[in-house]
Amino acid sequence: MINDILTAIAARLGAEVPELKYIDEDWGQLDDYSDNPPVKFPAALIEMQQATWRNQSTKVQDGTLNISIRVADQRLSNTNLRAPAQQKLNAAAIWLIQEKIYKALHTWRPVAYPDFSSLTRVSSRKLKRDDGVREFEMIFTTVYVDKAAVVLPTMLADVPRVIGINE
């Protein structure tokens, strides 16, 4: 099920990108908040945005899932050409985090979920904001084979045999 891939991605990011201080499903944590967003920065928010489904058989479909990873950090460092080198490095951290996310997820597939194909990064973009948060979105795709509608034949319960007098 789709929740499995989202959970697996979160676990993978937690293991491979230790710089991330907050990893969760995207339920709008960065949208319409006051001065105190309910995340720690840098953050990665994961969401299944869209699935395009195709019939493979009567009760089996495969779907190409677009999974969004929003990467956000507070902009606290100066990127000015004459800024101190350490400030520039701090400001560049979000680029390094995105690179690590790419390395952790591109062509990766959670072994525990064979109904999902390897992830592929298909796009990334900067999101415009009017606050001090820098936010980027990375889109990965995977193909999921959904067999949930298949009705498996059930085993007949063992029916006790009545032993007759002549047996």
Side-chain angles (χ1 to χ4, degrees), residues 27-98:
W27 46 266
Q29 297 95 316
L30 295 175
D31 305 325
D32 302 320
Y33 68 85
S34 64
D35 292 337
N36 298 313
V39 302
K40 290 184 178 192
F41 292 106
L45 301 174
I46 306 161
E47 173 182 48
M48 197 285 291
Q49 285 190 333
Q50 177 183 352
T52 304
W53 298 99
R54 293 169 298 278
N55 288 329
Q56 296 302 315
S57 66
T58 304
K59 298 216 177 202
V60 176
Q61 289 188 313
D62 72 24
T64 301
L65 280 60
N66 289 340
I67 298 171
S68 165
I69 304 194
R70 290 169 62 189
V71 183
D73 199 5
Q74 288 181 315
R75 184 159 191 149
L76 302 174
S77 294
N78 191 351
T79 57
N80 182 308
L81 180 63
R82 297 195 177 156
Q86 188 57 48
Q87 285 186 16
K88 288 182 188 181
L89 283 175
N90 291 343
I94 196 163
W95 299 108
L96 298 174
I97 289 170
Q98 288 180 83

Side-chain angles (χ1 to χ4, degrees), residues 120-138:
T120 302
R121 182 179 64 180
V122 294
S123 70
S124 54
R125 67 183 178 133
K126 183 177 188 318
L127 301 173
K128 292 259 185 200
R129 299 186 63 96
D130 60 1
D131 54 14
V133 174
R134 288 174 74 187
E135 183 178 358
F136 296 85
E137 179 180 51
M138 303 172 78

Side-chain angles (χ1 to χ4, degrees), residues 9 12-13 15-17 19 69 95-109 119-121 138 140:
I9 289 170
R12 176 81 172 177
L13 292 178
E16 299 291 323
V17 190
E19 295 84 354
I69 304 194
W95 299 108
L96 298 174
I97 289 170
Q98 288 180 83
E99 185 176 308
K100 282 189 166 190
I101 290 171
Y102 166 68
K103 287 178 182 178
L105 297 180
H106 185 69
T107 72
W108 172 79
R109 178 182 68 81
L119 292 166
T120 302
R121 182 179 64 180
M138 303 172 78
F140 289 82

